Amino acid sequence: MMDNLMITLPLLILFLPLFSFTILIFFGKKLPRQGDWVAVGSIVVTFFLALYLFIQMILEYDPGFNHGASFSWVDLDAFKIDLGILVDNLTIIMLLIVTLVSSCTHIFSLEYMKGDIRYHRYYAYLGLFTFSMNGIVLADNLISMYMSWELVGVSSYLLIGHWFEKESAADASKKAFLTNRVGDIGFFIGIMLLYSAIGSFAFGPIFDSIANGDTIAGMTLTLAGLGIFMGAMGKSSQFPLHIWLPDAMEGPTPVSALMHAATMVAAGVYMSVRLFPIFTPDALLVIAYIGGITAMLAALIAITQNDIKKVLAYSTVSQLGYMILAVGTGVYTAAFFHLLTHAMFKANLFYCSGSVIHSMHHALHKKHDHDTDPQDMRNMGGFKSKMPITYWSMLISTLAIAGVPVFSGFLSKDAILAGTLAFAQHHPGHFLLPIFGFGAAAITAFYMFRLIFMTFYGKPSIKEIFNDIHESPKEMSGPIVLLGMLSFFIFYTFPNFNPMSDYGWFKDLVVPQTSAVPGSMTANEIAEHAHHVHYFAMGLSIAVATLGILLAVLMYHKNVISPKTISKKLGFLYDLSLNKFYFDENYNRFLYQPFLRLASTISWLDWEFYDKYLINGFGRVTNIFSRLSGKLDYDGIDQGLVDGLGRITNSGGKNLRKIQTGRLQNYLLYVVAGILVIIIVQAF
């Protein structure tokens, strides 16, 4: 009975959002309130189903909790594809994350998106996205995962470009879609490399085959792993494919919270964690450096951004870099732990920013001011007294992301930093990895408190609108309060109440598996190395977080240090950060424009040369020859030969008719004449 329930409930969680999408896309406009109650009801039900699965997981308290089912989809003897679902502890936790954040997004959007011209389509696309994300989470094989992976790309394109009448939103959706396709090509190549060697798409057979070392190994396995990781680079916005995520903030703020804080961008990390056993040490080293560079690079960009959503966007990129860094250094359970905690506090940060933007927008609209940017933090200030719920909730989540003790982010960050430090101790040549980790931690604390002080402290930047700033309605403040509470440590360490320890239900139930790659370090060895440096890493992480917060206080709260003076002194370095290291400009100059010129050249060759001169030239020659052939056919053959013979025959017939007189004597004369001719011919 329980086995059937563990299959039935995940299938309901999977298909209820699809049901919502189908109803709303076809009938949404005709339903009361454009069917938002269908969407909200469906998603909330999935959350409670996921919560039930989570409770069952806790009650059983079994690290080996595992259920699954599959069926044959394509069977051509030599080529077989099965579709199925895998339900284990990793799956259940991820389902809870997706459904919780999706439910909060649906409820938050009731007020935020009220009056939108495509209201029903917005909720329909949310359902499609949630279905796709659940498909990735539940997949038990690479093909199932890849199909859902691509569907996430399509639905994200629709959501980011929801306000497609804005050129910036349309461009952002296309940029996100195309950038992700680059990563997805690598993902597909990696899948095909594994299948060509192993003959299966299912996770279990792949892991077993690699462990046996008799099908795929060495450079081929490394390339397959890096190909698969390219998919994660696209979805999880890792350097150098990170450029799409900040622009994707053009979509509605609830979409940013759903896609770019907890689900879509987390898909790459989840996939890396799920497929960790296939990565070779060489592949993991590449992954670690990409994660470390991403974490540091995005953090350095975030410190100078003034758009509140852009700050959070680059913060997301940086935190995803943390997770990927953890995967690369072997502590992938710490990466998943940070994925869990980050989903809560980052989604809340986006909701809080949406609350601020919503209030700013209404205040500016009252003053008929359509020029002031409601997302620019330089236009804010002093909102603490006007929006107390938003302020306190955002402060709690900021403390969490900064890695302050008692909050969830401290636990997961500490686990990542300990693993990174342990890796560097055993591989001294890679000392840059912990520098990336701790450096990004310090910068994160700085720019997040910069956001808090610029938004909620100080004097109002625009006094004319300050009196119209107000707290958001309950549909928006409810999810904010809930996710703010989930930023505390106890929800992740229960039944352990020690705020300085990450031991609890998560660590007991999400147990690392040893790599399937022969010769790799075992899970126990990696865990032991991380444990030895745990307290040192903890102290250092608290120190760098304190340093970052203190610097933000001095610069943006106490005004002891002038940000303008610092920016002038930094000069070129400040401009680099402000302009996002000119990635977009350089990509445009050295990648997009050369490809456009190449495309233009190919187009010219295709049209001006191939079509105009070659194809059309052949056409003209053929036309000339056809005309000559036609003239020869008509004038020579038809008119000259055929019709000429006809005329000769006709004329001959007419002449012969003249000798047919009907008189016997004339005929006898012709016979005699003929006989004489024959005699004369024979004589000679």
Side-chain angles (χ1 to χ4, degrees), residues 346-367:
K346 180 54 62 70
N348 188 47
L349 287 169
F350 271 111
Y351 290 143
C352 290
S353 71
S355 177
V356 172
I357 294 167
H358 183 264
S359 186
M360 280 283 294
H361 179 78
H362 280 274
L364 291 168
H365 185 73
K366 265 190 174 183
K367 299 297 181 182

Side-chain angles (χ1 to χ4, degrees), residues 3 6 60 62-68 86-89 274 513:
D3 288 345
M6 289 297 134
E60 291 198 21
D62 178 14
F65 183 88
N66 191 300
H67 298 271
L86 171 64
V87 184
D88 59 7
N89 294 341
R274 175 64 75 185
Q513 293 182 341

Side-chain angles (χ1 to χ4, degrees), residues 62-299:
D62 178 14
F65 183 88
N66 191 300
H67 298 271
S70 64
F71 69 94
S72 181
W73 183 42
V74 176
D75 192 353
L76 303 175
D77 292 333
F79 183 76
K80 186 178 180 182
I81 300 177
D82 292 336
L83 295 181
I85 63 171
L86 171 64
V87 184
D88 59 7
N89 294 341
L90 210 64
T91 306
I92 292 173
I93 295 170
M94 196 66 190
L95 281 177
L96 188 64
I97 295 171
V98 174
T99 56
L100 173 60
V101 179
S102 185
S103 297
C104 290
T105 298
H106 278 70
I107 296 169
F108 189 90
S109 299
L110 291 171
E111 184 64 29
Y112 192 90
M113 299 299 292
K114 183 186 279 185
D116 189 85
I117 57 174
R118 287 178 291 274
Y119 189 69
H120 77 286
R121 285 187 172 271
Y122 170 80
Y123 272 105
Y125 296 152
L126 282 182
L128 180 63
F129 177 86
T130 307
F131 162 73
S132 310
M133 193 63 211
N134 287 337
I136 293 175
V137 175
L138 287 166
D140 73 338
N141 65 83
L142 289 171
I143 284 296
S144 296
M145 180 176 280
Y146 187 76
M147 289 191 299
S148 297
W149 194 270
E150 292 300 317
L151 199 54
V152 163
V154 172
S155 52
S156 65
Y157 167 80
L158 295 170
L159 286 167
I160 295 168
H162 177 74
W163 292 319
F164 56 79
E165 60 272 9
K166 288 170 57 183
E167 187 178 356
S168 57
D171 289 343
S173 63
K174 288 183 286 187
K175 187 177 183 179
F177 187 81
L178 293 173
T179 306
N180 273 275
R181 295 293 72 71
V182 175
D184 294 351
I185 291 170
F187 190 13
F188 185 76
I189 292 172
I191 291 172
M192 289 299 106
L193 281 173
L194 287 175
Y195 180 79
S196 62
I198 297 170
S200 176
F201 294 111
F203 297 152
I206 290 174
F207 296 161
D208 293 340
S209 184
I210 292 173
N212 293 331
D214 55 357
T215 51
I216 184 171
M219 184 57 69
T220 306
L221 183 57
T222 298
L223 291 174
L226 290 177
I228 286 172
F229 177 67
M230 275 189 67
M233 287 173 63
K235 282 287 187 291
S236 292
S237 194
Q238 296 297 290
F239 170 84
L241 301 180
H242 66 286
I243 57 172
W244 69 269
L245 182 59
D247 288 358
M249 298 300 113
E250 289 291 340
T253 299
V255 170
S256 302
L258 175 64
M259 295 169 50
H260 309 136
T263 53
M264 179 180 173
V265 294
V269 178
Y270 173 79
M271 183 262 283
S272 301
V273 170
R274 175 64 75 185
L275 298 177
F276 179 83
I278 75 166
F279 294 121
T280 64
D282 290 337
L284 288 174
L285 191 60
V286 173
I287 291 170
Y289 272 97
I290 288 175
I293 292 169
T294 304
M296 185 59 111
L297 188 69

Side-chain angles (χ1 to χ4, degrees), residues 337 340-341 344-345 396 399-400 403-412 483-507:
F337 190 24
L340 170 61
T341 60
M344 303 304 150
F345 59 68
I396 290 169
L399 289 166
V404 175
V406 185
F407 300 96
S408 60
F410 167 75
L411 303 175
S412 52
L483 292 173
M485 290 173 59
L486 292 175
S487 296
F488 286 96
F489 79 97
I490 189 61
F491 295 99
Y492 310 94
T493 63
F494 186 84
N496 181 16
F497 291 88
N498 183 359
M500 306 298 287
S501 173
D502 60 355
Y503 281 98
W505 66 265
F506 181 90
K507 201 148 191 175

Side-chain angles (χ1 to χ4, degrees), residues 292-334:
I293 292 169
T294 304
M296 185 59 111
L297 188 69
L300 289 172
I301 296 173
I303 59 178
T304 58
Q305 301 306 303
N306 295 308
D307 186 308
I308 189 170
K309 285 179 67 176
K310 285 286 177 69
V311 175
L312 295 178
Y314 280 106
S315 170
T316 298
V317 175
S318 182
Q319 296 303 305
L320 290 166
Y322 260 113
M323 300 174 208
I324 295 298
L325 174 62
V327 172
T329 52
V331 284
Y332 73 94
T333 55

Side-chain angles (χ1 to χ4, degrees), residues 243 585-597:
I243 57 172
E585 291 82 357
N586 286 318
Y587 275 11
N588 183 61
R589 182 179 177 183
F590 298 110
L591 188 63
Y592 303 149
Q593 292 304 321
F595 269 104
L596 286 174
R597 287 194 293 270

